[in-house]
Amino acid sequence: MKVKLLQKFDFIVIFCVLILTIMGVIFIYSSGIDSTGYLQNKNYIKQIIWASVGFVMMLVAALINYKRLARYIKFVAIGMVLVLIYTMLWGATLNNAQSWIKIGGVFLQPAEFCKIIYILFFAWYLDKSKKTSPQKRFAISLGILMVPMVLILLQPDFGTAMVFISIFLFMCLIAGLPIRYLVAIFSIGMLVLAFTVLPLWETYIHGKSVPIIRLLTNKKLFMVMVAALVAITLTGVLGFVFLKKKYFYWIAYVAGIILIGLLGSLAAGKVLKEYQIKRLIIFLNPNVDPQDAGWNIINSQIAIGSGGFRGKGFMMGTQSHYRFLPQQSTDFIFSILAEESGFLGCMVVFAAYIAILMRIIRTMRVINDYYGINICAGVLGLFFFHFLINVGMVMGMMPCTGIPLPFVSYGGSAYLTNAVALGLVMGARSRRLDFSLAYY
């Protein structure tokens, strides 16, 4: 079904992207000014170029029939896995992560583009597996998640890897997978995080010994606990299989979650470096290490708090111009925005993101294509996670995980990824009355 050209675009989304992009360029420029008024870099020019390319790609993505992309997504996904492996082994290292490749003098982050490919491939699988048993469907879905996530964790890029969990949960929820499976994944993730950081929390935050944490730090006690959980899980499984009692199922369910959480924390402790784990807990009390791990959060909170209602004015912020904020054009761009534009500027940003999220939800409600709905769910998970974690991080309410703010933070790979993601959503919305099965 042919649709008029202008009807292919969601002008509310386009307007919000323009507002966020303009604000991003303005404060990226401000972040490059030092205390003497000297412009130390021209990142704002690079951002304008990336934004221009990204804006065109967003419009092109809206025009492309996303259903036809499903024909080739399997091959693209395989290629993306190979690129991630190449990046992990031979990629360029920036900010302590070997997660970049250099092409003609330009650094690109394959993990960012992988988000789009993952959403398209996973949406295709969820659509093709509607008649598959829930257990098999969930197991394969979990495998699809783990491949890119593990490869990105090994770079190591913890923040980007966590985005895939949010995308996974949103898509599985909309696809109708059993809630208990999703609760299990979420619970395991939280337990892995908790078991990994508790020993350092005891040392740096609490400041005194907690007897129960010895279960995590003492190897013998740890192995005893693992063995006990294995025995309980097996007992629950056998009891449910042979005695058909439902409570045995829930015993195995709970014990299995705790067991996997423990084993996962053991693996996380091997992959993540101590400084990365420390960053996950320092937000609880940044003053215990004000000169190192807590430095970012302390100065970010000072910047946001000093902005007041109207802000200090453009290029009048002190935390950025005196270089108290690290990564100020990327991870902590919102701190500069809050300091110089105040509460009013923050509300403009909040309103733009809420409008984008609401338009994605609206698109999911009006389209009838299952494949398109799953794509929109993945994009919703992507933007929700980035917005929530970045803003929470700079306010000291979330761990520092290196998550950029879409369309505002400096970065080409992230901008292109986010632009294409919204273009796909617009394309799904414009084809809501197209019932052709072009991807079969």
Side-chain angles (χ1 to χ4, degrees), residues 93-107:
T93 300
L94 293 175
N95 299 323
N96 298 313
Q98 190 172 324
S99 56
W100 303 80
I101 57 175
K102 190 176 181 180
I103 302 177
V106 178
F107 286 95

Side-chain angles (χ1 to χ4, degrees), residues 2-55:
K2 294 184 178 180
V3 182
K4 293 182 180 179
L5 182 62
L6 292 180
Q7 292 179 340
K8 291 180 178 291
F9 306 121
D10 189 330
F11 289 98
I12 294 177
V13 170
I14 292 174
F15 177 75
C16 291
V17 170
L18 283 174
I19 291 294
L20 292 172
T21 301
I22 291 170
M23 295 185 74
V25 170
I26 289 172
F27 291 105
I28 289 170
Y29 175 83
S30 179
S31 72
I33 303 292
D34 63 17
S35 58
T36 65
Y38 176 74
L39 181 62
Q40 292 192 343
N41 59 64
K42 295 184 179 180
N43 287 343
Y44 75 99
I45 295 179
K46 296 178 182 177
Q47 187 70 0
I48 291 173
I49 295 173
W50 284 119
S52 301
V53 175
F55 195 80

Side-chain angles (χ1 to χ4, degrees), residues 64-336:
I64 293 175
N65 189 340
Y66 65 95
K67 294 181 180 181
R68 291 176 180 167
L69 297 176
R71 297 177 179 179
Y72 315 102
I73 193 60
K74 290 181 288 186
F75 308 104
V76 176
I78 293 171
M80 194 70 247
V81 169
L82 295 177
V83 172
L84 288 178
I85 294 173
Y86 173 86
T87 305
M88 181 185 66
L89 297 176
W90 300 291
T93 300
L94 293 175
N95 299 323
N96 298 313
Q98 190 172 324
S99 56
W100 303 80
I101 57 175
K102 190 176 181 180
I103 302 177
V106 178
F107 286 95
L108 297 174
Q109 191 174 13
E112 286 291 337
F113 304 118
C114 185
K115 296 173 186 175
I116 294 295
I117 297 171
Y118 172 76
I119 289 172
L120 290 171
F121 180 76
F122 192 32
W124 169 82
Y125 171 74
L126 291 173
D127 185 35
K128 299 290 284 186
S129 63
K130 286 182 288 190
K131 297 181 181 180
T132 306
S133 67
Q135 295 83 358
K136 181 179 178 181
R137 196 181 188 207
F138 178 75
I140 295 176
S141 297
L142 197 57
I144 295 172
L145 167 68
M146 295 306 295
V147 171
M149 187 175 166
V150 169
L151 290 175
I152 294 170
L153 276 174
L154 291 175
Q155 292 179 358
D157 188 350
F158 181 79
T160 302
M162 293 303 100
V163 178
F164 285 81
I165 295 181
S166 175
I167 295 171
F168 174 82
L169 291 175
F170 272 76
M171 294 182 72
C172 287
L173 181 64
I174 297 302
L177 269 73
I179 296 296
R180 64 183 182 277
Y181 296 161
L182 305 185
V183 171
I185 292 297
F186 180 80
S187 301
I188 289 170
M190 292 297 100
L191 286 176
V192 168
L193 183 62
F195 292 150
T196 302
V197 305
L198 274 175
L200 285 182
W201 171 84
E202 178 187 48
T203 302
Y204 292 103
I205 305 297
H206 193 60
K208 53 186 178 181
S209 178
V210 179
I212 196 171
I213 295 182
R214 289 187 61 203
L215 293 172
L216 301 174
T217 57
N218 186 291
K219 290 184 178 180
K220 290 183 178 180
L221 292 176
F222 185 88
M223 294 308 297
V224 169
M225 184 164 55
V226 168
L229 287 168
V230 169
I232 295 172
T233 304
L234 289 175
T235 301
V237 170
L238 293 174
F240 179 70
V241 171
F242 293 105
L243 300 179
K244 307 299 182 183
K245 300 293 185 181
K246 193 69 174 179
Y247 59 80
F248 279 111
Y249 172 89
W250 292 110
I251 289 173
Y253 179 85
V254 174
I257 288 174
I258 299 173
L259 174 62
I260 298 173
L262 277 174
L263 297 177
S265 69
L266 189 63
K270 300 292 184 181
V271 174
L272 298 177
K273 297 178 175 63
E274 183 173 322
Y275 79 90
Q276 291 176 306
I277 300 175
K278 197 173 179 181
R279 284 168 56 185
L280 296 175
I281 59 171
I282 202 66
F283 77 99
L284 297 172
N285 185 5
N287 291 308
V288 300
D289 192 7
Q291 297 299 319
D292 190 10
W295 176 267
N296 298 2
I297 296 176
I298 292 172
N299 285 283
S300 177
Q301 290 176 325
I302 291 173
I304 294 173
S306 64
F309 186 73
R310 296 183 178 179
K312 294 180 177 179
F314 179 56
M315 293 201 306
M316 299 300 291
T318 56
Q319 297 303 109
S320 62
H321 299 313
Y322 284 93
R323 294 298 182 261
F324 289 113
L325 283 171
Q327 307 296 330
Q328 54 188 26
S329 64
T330 53
D331 299 346
F332 288 89
I333 190 68
F334 187 79
S335 305
I336 301 175

